[in-house]
Amino acid sequence: MAFLKVVPLEEALKIINSLPLKPKIEEVALEEALGRVLAEDIHSPIDVPPFDRATVDGYAVRSQDTWNASESNPVVLKVIGEIHAGEEPQIELGEGEAAYISTGAVLPKGADAVIEFEIVERKGDEVIITKPTYPQAGVMKAGTDIPKGTLLLKKGTKLGFKETALLSAVGISKVKVFAKPKVAVISTGNEVILPGEELKRGKIYDINGRAVSDAVRELGGEAYFLGIARDNEESLKEKILEGLKYDIVILSGGASGGTRDLTASIIEELGEIKVHGIAIQPGKPTIIGVIDGKPIFGLPGYPTSCLTNFTLLVAPLIRKLLGGEFETQRIKKKLAHKVFSVKGRRQFLPVKLEGEIAKPILKGSGAVTSFIEADGFVDIPENVEILEEGEEVEVILFRF
């Protein structure tokens, strides 16, 4: 078993992308669809509005009956009834007739316009009109907002409140979406304890369990934190076997070549190691393995290293399983000041973004605030030793 035989990042990504995992599709009720990703194109099954309707409160008329109306020569129409929203009209207008109609109500047969009640005078069962109107005035025709068959939303759309409102408007109550990948998250180490426990000398609170779990959720997956595996084979194997109930397993810590780091040997015992070591800094001792067809990642223990490698390696896989693209989000910024790098190793430098400027965070991957303050990290190629102040750099965002 060859540990820490490092491979380039691109090779590691190629291996992950080639894993035999495909997005799963499920149907959910619309009230549960917020934040989900559509697994199908959706076309409108109806016209919106589904009928010709009034857009104002007023009187439904035949527009031709009003064409000669003026202040000096008003037109008098007989009011033969009322039509309210939600009702099916039981009347049909003939020559010289009108009907009171409320906003949103179905236009009666014979009518082709609605005149606002504020600009007419009502006397008994008659309405006096002093200004002509025209066809479709005060009316929204059926299908003028959304014609039946219109492509509303494309496959791959993430459903926000506007999208769910649109689906509701056309009467869709269920949608097909990509199933959320179920991700088991395991922290490791004898020194790690959970928040709320007594902090004794030599112990530290677990950061990665919370950070990785919520990063999974922010991406759209389901995270299941299985607790902390201790630095012994029995504890670690127990947690890994429990994690295999889910789609993906992520461990943090215990990935280097030290005598107490058992992650790699247990993964190889239970399955296969695809990668043990990536030519990047931080995060070189990363493990990518497969057990029973399930991908398992052994990420570094330092929070910044752990979250950097999660962003580079795991996040693309989760996005792919949610029907998205297998890629990281990159933007161009200018470096705040000169930075020295280690030639021969690809480096990912945490940075804080301030407008168009990327300010390096140089506290080291062991500092909690390195990734708390960071908006992303700069990708520094292995053949670069110096980045100059003001130089344009590519920033990979921590935001998902």
Side-chain angles (χ1 to χ4, degrees), residues 63 181 189 264 305 317:
S63 61
S305 302
L317 178 59

Side-chain angles (χ1 to χ4, degrees), residues 335-349:
L335 202 61
H337 57 75
K338 180 183 288 190
V339 170
F340 294 91
S341 182
V342 178
K343 187 176 181 180
R345 184 180 296 181
R346 190 169 178 179
Q347 183 176 353
F348 292 93
L349 176 69

Side-chain angles (χ1 to χ4, degrees), residues 81 97 156 282 376 386:
E97 294 178 334
I386 300 174

Side-chain angles (χ1 to χ4, degrees), residues 34-267:
L34 185 68
R36 303 299 295 273
V37 179
L38 278 179
E40 61 179 344
D41 290 343
I42 295 186
H43 296 79
S44 178
I46 62 169
D47 284 327
V48 178
F51 49 82
D52 295 352
R53 68 182 184 187
T55 61
V56 294
D57 290 334
Y59 292 88
V61 300
R62 299 177 352 138
S63 61
Q64 65 194 64
D65 289 343
T66 72
W67 289 347
N68 294 323
S70 65
E71 293 285 347
S72 60
N73 184 35
V75 168
V76 179
L77 302 178
K78 183 179 181 181
V79 179
I80 63 171
E82 295 186 355
I83 307 165
H84 298 283
E87 299 177 350
E88 177 64 34
Q90 302 299 315
I91 57 179
E92 180 176 352
L93 298 189
E95 184 177 354
E97 294 178 334
Y100 178 81
I101 191 168
S102 59
T103 300
V106 180
L107 200 68
K109 291 181 180 179
D112 67 350
V114 176
I115 303 176
E116 299 95 322
F117 74 89
E118 294 95 341
I119 63 173
V120 300
E121 182 181 356
R122 175 77 179 265
K123 287 187 176 180
D125 64 353
E126 294 181 331
V127 61
I128 301 169
I129 299 168
T130 58
K131 184 179 179 181
T133 190
Y134 53 88
Q136 309 314 320
V139 174
M140 179 176 278
K141 295 284 289 181
T144 53
D145 189 4
I146 304 173
K148 183 178 179 178
T150 298
L151 176 62
L152 298 177
L153 298 170
K154 291 184 178 181
K155 177 181 177 179
T157 300
K158 187 172 183 178
L159 298 175
F161 74 92
K162 292 182 181 179
E163 289 76 19
T164 56
L166 179 60
L167 295 173
S168 185
V170 298
I172 290 175
S173 61
K174 295 181 179 180
V175 290
K176 290 181 180 179
V177 296
F178 291 106
K180 295 182 177 183
K182 294 176 169 58
V183 182
V185 179
I186 303 167
S187 295
T188 71
N190 288 340
E191 77 281 13
V192 181
I193 62 172
L194 293 174
E197 296 181 12
E198 181 184 356
L199 185 64
K200 297 180 179 179
R201 189 172 179 82
K203 302 294 184 181
I204 59 170
Y205 286 121
D206 179 43
I207 301 167
N208 295 340
R210 173 84 284 128
V212 171
S213 295
D214 286 345
V216 168
R217 295 184 182 107
E218 193 171 324
L219 279 162
E222 291 182 358
Y224 299 85
F225 181 58
L226 305 186
I228 300 168
R230 300 308 174 189
D231 288 330
N232 63 74
E233 185 174 350
E234 181 181 357
S235 176
L236 190 56
K237 184 182 288 189
E238 179 185 347
K239 292 294 185 185
I240 289 174
L241 290 172
E242 184 182 356
L244 294 177
K245 295 186 297 184
Y246 304 95
D247 300 316
I248 300 171
V249 182
I250 302 174
L251 299 98
S252 64
S256 70
T259 56
R260 302 184 69 191
D261 297 317
L262 303 170
T263 305
S265 59
I266 293 174
I267 292 174

